[in-house]
Amino acid sequence: WMSQLPEKLWDIPLYNLALPGSHDTMTYCLDKNSAVSGNESKLVKLLNKCIPCIVHPIIMKWSTTQVLTVTEQLEAGVRYLDFRIAHKANDPSMNLYFVHMVYTTVTVQDILWEVLRWLETHPQEVVILACRNFDGLTKRFHCHLTACIKEIFQCKLCPRNVSMSSSPPFLFKNDMLLRRQWNLTVLSVELWDNSRDTTVIHSLLVLLMCHLLIFVSEKFFVAGINVTENLRYILVHPFGSLKKMTLQSLPCLKIWIKQQYPGPKKDCINIIAGDFIGNDDFVKDVIELNRKI
Protein backbone atom coordinates (compact mmCIF):
# COMPACT_ATOMS: atom_id res chain seq x y z
CA TRP A 1 0.00 0.00 0.00
CA MET A 2 2.93 2.40 0.55
CA SER A 3 3.84 2.14 -3.11
CA GLN A 4 0.31 3.29 -3.97
CA LEU A 5 0.36 6.44 -1.85
CA PRO A 6 -0.39 9.64 -3.79
CA GLU A 7 2.73 11.38 -5.09
CA LYS A 8 2.10 14.38 -2.83
CA LEU A 9 2.84 12.13 0.17
CA TRP A 10 6.24 10.99 -1.07
CA ASP A 11 8.08 13.85 0.63
CA ILE A 12 6.31 13.38 3.96
CA PRO A 13 8.41 11.85 6.77
CA LEU A 14 7.32 8.45 8.01
CA TYR A 15 6.55 9.90 11.43
CA ASN A 16 3.90 12.11 9.81
CA LEU A 17 2.08 9.18 8.19
CA ALA A 18 -0.43 6.81 9.77
CA LEU A 19 1.21 3.38 9.91
CA PRO A 20 -0.57 0.19 11.07
CA GLY A 21 1.38 -2.00 13.47
CA SER A 22 0.93 -5.20 15.43
CA HIS A 23 1.36 -5.34 19.19
CA ASP A 24 3.44 -8.30 20.44
CA THR A 25 3.86 -9.45 16.87
CA MET A 26 5.23 -12.92 17.54
CA THR A 27 2.70 -14.35 20.00
CA TYR A 28 1.07 -16.46 17.28
CA CYS A 29 3.83 -19.03 17.77
CA LEU A 30 4.21 -19.26 21.54
CA ASP A 31 5.58 -22.59 22.69
CA LYS A 32 2.99 -24.61 24.63
CA ASN A 33 5.84 -26.48 26.34
CA SER A 34 7.86 -23.39 27.16
CA ALA A 35 8.91 -22.39 30.64
CA VAL A 36 7.54 -19.12 32.00
CA SER A 37 9.73 -16.12 31.25
CA GLY A 38 12.29 -15.21 33.87
CA ASN A 39 10.77 -11.73 34.14
CA GLU A 40 7.37 -12.95 35.29
CA SER A 41 6.32 -12.68 38.92
CA LYS A 42 7.24 -15.32 41.50
CA LEU A 43 3.55 -16.08 41.99
CA VAL A 44 3.05 -16.91 38.30
CA LYS A 45 6.13 -19.14 38.31
CA LEU A 46 4.99 -20.89 41.49
CA LEU A 47 1.46 -21.52 40.23
CA ASN A 48 2.77 -22.79 36.90
CA LYS A 49 5.18 -25.12 38.70
CA CYS A 50 2.57 -26.47 41.13
CA ILE A 51 -0.41 -26.88 38.78
CA PRO A 52 0.95 -26.57 35.22
CA CYS A 53 -1.95 -28.48 33.65
CA ILE A 54 -4.30 -25.70 34.81
CA VAL A 55 -2.11 -22.60 34.82
CA HIS A 56 -0.22 -23.07 31.55
CA PRO A 57 -3.32 -23.15 29.28
CA ILE A 58 -4.56 -20.00 31.02
CA ILE A 59 -1.20 -18.30 30.42
CA MET A 60 -1.37 -19.21 26.73
CA LYS A 61 -4.87 -17.73 26.37
CA TRP A 62 -3.85 -14.45 27.98
CA SER A 63 -0.45 -14.20 26.25
CA THR A 64 -1.55 -14.66 22.63
CA THR A 65 -2.19 -11.34 20.89
CA GLN A 66 -1.85 -12.38 17.23
CA VAL A 67 -2.94 -15.31 15.08
CA LEU A 68 -1.43 -14.28 11.73
CA THR A 69 2.19 -15.08 10.92
CA VAL A 70 4.71 -12.29 10.27
CA THR A 71 4.35 -12.72 6.52
CA GLU A 72 0.55 -12.70 6.78
CA GLN A 73 0.68 -9.55 8.89
CA LEU A 74 2.91 -7.81 6.36
CA GLU A 75 0.64 -8.94 3.54
CA ALA A 76 -2.30 -7.49 5.47
CA GLY A 77 -0.57 -4.10 5.52
CA VAL A 78 1.22 -4.02 8.88
CA ARG A 79 4.40 -1.93 8.67
CA TYR A 80 5.46 -1.83 12.32
CA LEU A 81 6.51 -5.06 14.02
CA ASP A 82 6.77 -5.24 17.81
CA PHE A 83 9.54 -7.72 18.64
CA ARG A 84 10.00 -8.65 22.33
CA ILE A 85 13.37 -10.42 22.32
CA ALA A 86 14.77 -12.75 24.96
CA HIS A 87 17.36 -15.39 25.71
CA LYS A 88 16.15 -18.45 27.57
CA ALA A 89 17.61 -18.99 31.01
CA ASN A 90 20.08 -21.89 31.19
CA ASP A 91 20.20 -22.14 27.39
CA PRO A 92 23.88 -22.69 26.43
CA SER A 93 23.25 -21.74 22.80
CA MET A 94 23.26 -18.26 21.26
CA ASN A 95 19.67 -18.69 20.08
CA LEU A 96 17.36 -15.76 20.74
CA TYR A 97 13.59 -16.07 20.92
CA PHE A 98 10.56 -13.83 21.25
CA VAL A 99 8.70 -13.71 24.53
CA HIS A 100 5.36 -12.78 26.07
CA MET A 101 5.11 -14.61 29.42
CA VAL A 102 6.40 -17.69 27.58
CA TYR A 103 8.87 -18.10 24.73
CA THR A 104 8.18 -18.73 21.05
CA THR A 105 8.90 -21.85 19.03
CA VAL A 106 10.84 -19.89 16.39
CA THR A 107 14.10 -18.01 16.76
CA VAL A 108 14.67 -14.33 16.11
CA GLN A 109 17.09 -15.12 13.31
CA ASP A 110 14.53 -17.24 11.45
CA ILE A 111 11.96 -14.44 11.59
CA LEU A 112 14.45 -11.81 10.43
CA TRP A 113 15.12 -13.95 7.38
CA GLU A 114 11.37 -14.26 6.82
CA VAL A 115 10.99 -10.46 6.93
CA LEU A 116 13.88 -10.11 4.48
CA ARG A 117 12.27 -12.51 2.02
CA TRP A 118 9.07 -10.48 2.14
CA LEU A 119 10.94 -7.22 1.60
CA GLU A 120 12.77 -8.61 -1.40
CA THR A 121 9.43 -9.29 -3.09
CA HIS A 122 8.03 -5.87 -2.07
CA PRO A 123 10.83 -3.40 -2.95
CA GLN A 124 8.64 -0.30 -2.51
CA GLU A 125 7.56 -0.95 1.06
CA VAL A 126 9.10 0.11 4.37
CA VAL A 127 9.02 -1.97 7.55
CA ILE A 128 9.86 -0.68 11.02
CA LEU A 129 11.24 -3.15 13.52
CA ALA A 130 10.82 -2.26 17.19
CA CYS A 131 13.22 -4.53 19.08
CA ARG A 132 12.76 -4.33 22.84
CA ASN A 133 12.50 -6.02 26.26
CA PHE A 134 15.75 -7.99 25.73
CA ASP A 135 15.00 -10.38 28.62
CA GLY A 136 18.16 -12.22 29.65
CA LEU A 137 20.36 -10.50 27.08
CA THR A 138 23.88 -9.67 28.18
CA LYS A 139 26.17 -7.37 26.21
CA ARG A 140 27.37 -10.44 24.33
CA PHE A 141 23.85 -11.33 23.20
CA HIS A 142 23.12 -7.71 22.25
CA CYS A 143 26.19 -7.74 20.02
CA HIS A 144 25.08 -11.06 18.54
CA LEU A 145 21.60 -9.65 17.78
CA THR A 146 23.09 -6.55 16.15
CA ALA A 147 25.45 -8.69 14.07
CA CYS A 148 22.56 -10.90 12.89
CA ILE A 149 20.50 -7.87 11.85
CA LYS A 150 23.41 -6.36 9.93
CA GLU A 151 24.26 -9.66 8.26
CA ILE A 152 20.70 -10.42 7.20
CA PHE A 153 19.50 -7.00 6.02
CA GLN A 154 22.82 -5.43 4.98
CA CYS A 155 22.13 -2.46 2.68
CA LYS A 156 18.41 -2.58 3.45
CA LEU A 157 19.08 -1.16 6.90
CA CYS A 158 18.39 2.54 7.17
CA PRO A 159 21.74 4.27 7.83
CA ARG A 160 22.18 6.69 10.73
CA ASN A 161 22.67 9.74 8.53
CA VAL A 162 19.43 9.44 6.53
CA SER A 163 17.13 12.41 7.02
CA MET A 164 13.63 11.58 8.15
CA SER A 165 12.30 14.06 5.61
CA SER A 166 14.09 12.67 2.56
CA SER A 167 12.00 12.48 -0.59
CA PRO A 168 10.97 9.31 -2.46
CA PRO A 169 14.25 7.40 -2.08
CA PHE A 170 13.70 7.20 1.68
CA LEU A 171 10.06 6.19 1.65
CA PHE A 172 10.45 3.70 -1.17
CA LYS A 173 13.94 2.46 -0.39
CA ASN A 174 12.78 -0.73 1.29
CA ASP A 175 14.63 0.17 4.50
CA MET A 176 14.44 -1.35 7.96
CA LEU A 177 14.54 0.89 11.01
CA LEU A 178 16.15 -0.42 14.18
CA ARG A 179 15.81 1.89 17.16
CA ARG A 180 18.96 0.81 18.96
CA GLN A 181 21.10 1.10 15.85
CA TRP A 182 19.74 4.40 14.61
CA ASN A 183 19.10 6.11 17.93
CA LEU A 184 15.49 6.79 17.03
CA THR A 185 13.27 8.09 19.78
CA VAL A 186 10.09 6.06 19.70
CA LEU A 187 7.53 7.10 22.27
CA SER A 188 4.91 4.55 23.21
CA VAL A 189 1.64 4.65 25.10
CA GLU A 190 -0.44 1.51 25.61
CA LEU A 191 -4.00 1.20 26.86
CA TRP A 192 -4.57 -0.99 29.89
CA ASP A 193 -8.10 -2.18 30.55
CA ASN A 194 -9.20 -4.54 33.28
CA SER A 195 -12.91 -4.01 32.75
CA ARG A 196 -15.46 -4.85 30.10
CA ASP A 197 -17.12 -1.49 30.68
CA THR A 198 -16.79 0.55 27.47
CA THR A 199 -16.79 3.75 29.53
CA VAL A 200 -13.40 2.69 30.87
CA ILE A 201 -12.09 2.27 27.33
CA HIS A 202 -13.40 5.74 26.43
CA SER A 203 -11.50 7.17 29.39
CA LEU A 204 -8.33 5.41 28.29
CA LEU A 205 -8.66 6.80 24.78
CA VAL A 206 -8.96 10.30 26.23
CA LEU A 207 -5.81 9.63 28.25
CA LEU A 208 -4.02 8.56 25.08
CA MET A 209 -4.94 11.83 23.39
CA CYS A 210 -3.49 13.73 26.37
CA HIS A 211 -0.20 11.91 25.83
CA LEU A 212 -0.29 12.79 22.14
CA LEU A 213 -0.66 16.47 23.02
CA ILE A 214 2.34 16.64 25.32
CA PHE A 215 4.86 14.70 23.25
CA VAL A 216 7.16 16.58 20.91
CA SER A 217 6.76 16.30 17.15
CA GLU A 218 9.32 14.97 14.67
CA LYS A 219 9.55 11.64 16.49
CA PHE A 220 8.00 8.26 15.88
CA PHE A 221 5.06 7.74 18.19
CA VAL A 222 3.43 4.39 18.84
CA ALA A 223 -0.15 4.38 20.05
CA GLY A 224 -0.74 0.87 21.37
CA ILE A 225 -4.51 0.48 21.39
CA ASN A 226 -4.26 -3.00 22.86
CA VAL A 227 -6.40 -3.73 25.89
CA THR A 228 -4.67 -5.99 28.36
CA GLU A 229 -4.93 -7.46 31.85
CA ASN A 230 -3.14 -7.93 35.15
CA LEU A 231 -2.67 -11.10 37.17
CA ARG A 232 -5.62 -10.39 39.45
CA TYR A 233 -7.97 -10.03 36.48
CA ILE A 234 -6.74 -13.31 34.98
CA LEU A 235 -7.24 -15.19 38.24
CA VAL A 236 -10.79 -13.83 38.50
CA HIS A 237 -11.53 -14.74 34.85
CA PRO A 238 -9.80 -18.12 34.31
CA PHE A 239 -12.17 -19.03 31.45
CA GLY A 240 -11.70 -15.74 29.61
CA SER A 241 -9.06 -14.86 27.05
CA LEU A 242 -7.28 -11.83 25.68
CA LYS A 243 -8.86 -12.43 22.28
CA LYS A 244 -12.38 -12.37 23.70
CA MET A 245 -11.68 -9.19 25.62
CA THR A 246 -10.09 -7.55 22.57
CA LEU A 247 -12.93 -8.40 20.19
CA GLN A 248 -15.42 -6.83 22.58
CA SER A 249 -13.43 -3.59 22.48
CA LEU A 250 -12.98 -3.36 18.70
CA PRO A 251 -16.12 -1.31 17.87
CA CYS A 252 -15.10 1.40 20.35
CA LEU A 253 -11.47 1.40 19.14
CA LYS A 254 -12.60 1.55 15.51
CA ILE A 255 -14.52 4.77 16.17
CA TRP A 256 -11.45 6.28 17.84
CA ILE A 257 -9.16 5.36 14.92
CA LYS A 258 -11.45 6.98 12.36
CA GLN A 259 -11.35 10.23 14.35
CA GLN A 260 -7.54 10.53 14.17
CA TYR A 261 -5.39 12.62 11.84
CA PRO A 262 -1.78 12.00 10.76
CA GLY A 263 0.57 14.89 10.14
CA PRO A 264 3.17 17.16 11.76
CA LYS A 265 1.07 18.58 14.60
CA LYS A 266 1.62 17.39 18.17
CA ASP A 267 -1.86 15.92 18.44
CA CYS A 268 -1.53 13.91 15.20
CA ILE A 269 -1.28 10.13 15.12
CA ASN A 270 1.63 8.12 13.71
CA ILE A 271 1.98 4.36 14.36
CA ILE A 272 -1.11 2.61 15.69
CA ALA A 273 -0.44 -0.92 16.96
CA GLY A 274 -3.24 -3.36 17.70
CA ASP A 275 -3.93 -6.95 18.65
CA PHE A 276 -5.38 -9.77 16.54
CA ILE A 277 -4.67 -8.18 13.18
CA GLY A 278 -7.07 -9.50 10.57
CA ASN A 279 -10.11 -9.78 12.82
CA ASP A 280 -11.56 -6.47 11.61
CA ASP A 281 -10.76 -3.50 9.35
CA PHE A 282 -8.04 -2.15 11.66
CA VAL A 283 -5.25 -2.02 9.05
CA LYS A 284 -7.50 -0.56 6.37
CA ASP A 285 -8.84 2.10 8.76
CA VAL A 286 -5.32 3.21 9.74
CA ILE A 287 -4.10 3.39 6.13
CA GLU A 288 -7.21 5.39 5.15
CA LEU A 289 -6.20 8.09 7.65
CA ASN A 290 -3.46 9.18 5.23
CA ARG A 291 -6.12 10.44 2.83
CA LYS A 292 -6.79 13.23 5.36
CA ILE A 293 -3.34 14.77 4.79
Side-chain angles (χ1 to χ4, degrees):
W1 64 267
M2 300 182 86
S3 61
Q4 298 174 4
L5 287 173
E7 187 173 346
K8 65 179 181 179
L9 299 183
W10 289 1
D11 292 333
I12 293 179
L14 286 177
Y15 50 72
N16 288 162
L17 291 176
L19 305 174
S22 61
H23 166 250
D24 258 312
T25 301
M26 294 305 304
T27 55
Y28 65 86
C29 59
L30 294 176
D31 187 354
K32 296 179 181 178
N33 300 314
S34 167
V36 175
S37 165
N39 276 7
E40 295 304 318
S41 68
K42 292 181 180 180
L43 178 57
V44 172
K45 293 178 183 177
L46 178 62
L47 290 173
N48 189 57
K49 185 177 181 180
C50 295
I51 44 176
C53 58
I54 297 176
V55 175
H56 212 71
I58 294 175
I59 289 176
M60 294 297 293
K61 287 193 300 180
W62 288 100
S63 299
T64 302
T65 67
Q66 306 295 340
V67 293
L68 300 183
T69 67
V70 161
T71 297
E72 289 171 339
Q73 290 180 39
L74 292 171
E75 287 290 334
V78 168
R79 294 295 176 267
Y80 168 89
L81 302 177
D82 176 17
F83 286 165
R84 315 289 179 96
I85 297 175
H87 180 259
K88 294 180 180 180
N90 303 319
D91 184 353
S93 74
M94 293 295 290
N95 288 336
L96 297 176
Y97 295 86
F98 303 95
V99 66
H100 190 210
M101 293 191 76
V102 295
Y103 303 98
T104 57
T105 56
V106 299
T107 65
V108 170
Q109 199 166 4
D110 287 340
I111 292 302
L112 294 179
W113 281 112
E114 185 174 339
V115 173
L116 174 67
R117 288 192 292 271
W118 186 87
L119 285 169
E120 287 177 335
T121 58
H122 299 80
Q124 292 184 304
E125 300 295 309
V126 176
V127 175
I128 300 174
L129 297 185
C131 299
R132 55 176 175 159
N133 278 44
F134 306 110
D135 296 352
L137 266 68
T138 61
K139 183 177 180 180
R140 179 186 175 207
F141 285 111
H142 274 291
C143 292
H144 174 63
L145 173 62
T146 301
C148 287
I149 291 172
K150 288 181 176 179
E151 176 189 358
I152 292 171
F153 294 111
Q154 299 185 26
C155 63
K156 293 187 184 300
L157 282 169
C158 190
R160 291 174 182 265
N161 59 349
V162 170
S163 169
M164 293 303 299
S165 58
S166 296
S167 51
F170 175 70
L171 183 57
F172 300 117
K173 191 178 174 184
N174 193 353
D175 288 331
M176 303 293 298
L177 307 182
L178 177 63
R179 288 191 299 174
R180 295 180 63 86
Q181 280 301 104
W182 204 38
N183 295 328
L184 289 178
T185 301
V186 181
L187 303 168
S188 178
V189 174
E190 295 184 355
L191 304 184
W192 294 72
D193 173 41
N194 298 320
S195 168
R196 296 183 180 181
D197 188 352
T198 57
T199 59
V200 175
I201 300 175
H202 280 298
S203 300
L204 291 168
L205 293 174
V206 171
L207 175 63
L208 176 56
M209 290 309 301
C210 292
H211 280 281
L212 286 174
L213 287 170
I214 64 174
F215 284 137
V216 294
S217 58
E218 298 188 357
K219 304 287 185 182
F220 282 99
F221 179 87
V222 183
I225 61 170
N226 48 289
V227 293
T228 188
E229 74 300 317
N230 55 29
L231 180 57
R232 181 178 177 276
Y233 185 86
I234 293 175
L235 293 175
V236 175
H237 301 83
F239 300 107
S241 69
L242 186 59
K243 184 173 184 178
K244 182 178 180 180
M245 191 168 70
T246 298
L247 295 181
Q248 290 174 337
S249 305
L250 288 180
C252 184
L253 295 174
K254 182 181 180 70
I255 293 172
W256 180 82
I257 291 173
K258 287 180 172 291
Q259 294 172 342
Q260 304 312 304
Y261 287 82
K265 296 181 180 180
K266 291 184 179 181
D267 59 345
C268 287
I269 206 72
N270 179 209
I271 299 167
I272 306 180
D275 287 335
F276 298 102
I277 302 302
N279 278 274
D280 66 345
D281 295 326
F282 165 76
V283 172
K284 178 184 176 182
D285 291 340
V286 175
I287 295 173
E288 285 293 311
L289 294 177
N290 293 305
R291 293 182 177 274
K292 297 181 179 181
I293 300 178

